Amino acid sequence: MSAPGDGSSRTGSAAPDTIYQFDHKQGVVQKIDEDMRQLVQALAGGTPIIITTLQKFPFIAETLEKLREEDHPGIAISTKNKQFAVIVDEAHSSQSGESAMDLKGVLNAGRLQEEAAEYLVNQQLDSDEDADHLAGVVREMMKRAKQSNLSFFAFTATPKYKTLKVFEEPGPTGQAPFHLCTMRQESLLRTV
């Protein structure tokens, strides 16, 4: 998935278009360039590579419900035992807001649901209204944490302080996974 650029040259983001141009088989890569239905159907259908914008993720639950009411009663998005690589273009402006949390919630919904239920059991709460509310709060908190099934690969030419804090976690070597390039190298990357 590519986020948040919309895949057009209006944003100056070439990553979605570049990824889509890679040689691929039909059904392996899907560029979401129509509407929310297209994204929900790609996720529900298990399309391996989806190119979309971050801003669509807050509306997935609503679109899923509409599709179920209309002509797809059994449609669901299963994330159980799935790993996701999220490629983020223009990362300096997108990864700390609610849309990023919604992306994590959608791509890890099954695990978040299981962990919230486990929390309620550990707290010895039954399934009354307060427990349901608490489970919702726990899911919201967990969406903000690191998700073991999500790997983020972010690109930015202008990292801000908060971008560094989100992505500066040391890797296996103890070093933060940042790579610097010159402006000349960056322009070559955009033309590849």
Side-chain angles (χ1 to χ4, degrees):
M1 292 189 193
S2 180
D6 67 358
S8 71
S9 58
R10 292 188 320 248
T11 63
S13 171
D17 290 330
T18 301
I19 292 168
Y20 190 72
Q21 290 172 10
F22 292 153
D23 187 27
H24 62 272
K25 293 181 180 179
Q26 188 67 27
V28 175
V29 177
Q30 184 168 357
K31 184 176 181 181
I32 307 303
D33 54 4
E34 293 174 18
D35 59 14
M36 284 299 303
R37 291 168 182 263
Q38 187 185 24
L39 174 58
V40 169
Q41 289 170 335
L43 286 167
T47 302
I49 300 172
I50 300 171
I51 302 169
T52 189
T53 62
L54 178 66
Q55 291 78 13
K56 288 185 173 84
F57 281 86
F59 306 102
I60 286 185
E62 179 184 325
T63 304
L64 250 177
E65 197 57 43
K66 283 181 184 175
L67 284 169
R68 286 182 188 135
E69 289 171 4
E70 293 172 5
D71 53 356
H72 297 80
I75 193 168
I77 297 172
S78 172
T79 60
K80 190 171 181 86
N81 300 319
K82 291 185 180 176
Q83 300 290 317
F84 296 93
V86 180
I87 300 171
V88 182
D89 193 19
E90 305 300 332
H92 59 272
S93 61
S94 64
Q95 294 307 298
S96 59
E98 292 302 313
S99 293
M101 299 311 114
D102 288 331
L103 174 134
K104 290 179 177 182
V106 168
L107 297 182
N108 207 10
R111 187 175 140 247
L112 293 176
Q113 197 79 347
E114 288 171 7
E115 288 187 11
E118 184 179 316
Y119 178 84
L120 294 179
V121 168
N122 291 340
Q123 298 300 312
Q124 299 177 347
L125 296 171
D126 56 17
S127 61
D128 64 5
E129 198 171 304
D130 289 338
D132 290 343
H133 176 72
L134 182 58
V137 170
V138 170
R139 281 191 303 274
E140 286 299 310
M141 290 182 349
M142 291 168 47
K143 283 194 311 191
R144 298 178 188 294
K146 182 178 179 181
Q147 307 294 314
S148 62
N149 71 326
L150 301 178
S151 297
F152 286 84
F153 302 90
F155 300 90
T156 181
T158 55
K160 296 179 181 174
Y161 175 78
K162 69 180 182 177
T163 310
L164 294 174
K165 288 299 162 201
V166 169
F167 292 102
E168 198 171 34
E169 184 175 316
T173 64
Q175 297 293 316
F178 276 92
H179 299 281
L180 301 176
C181 63
T182 66
M183 289 301 281
R184 177 170 156 65
Q185 290 170 318
E186 198 264 338
S187 4
L188 288 172
L189 286 173
R190 289 196 179 270
T191 61
V192 173

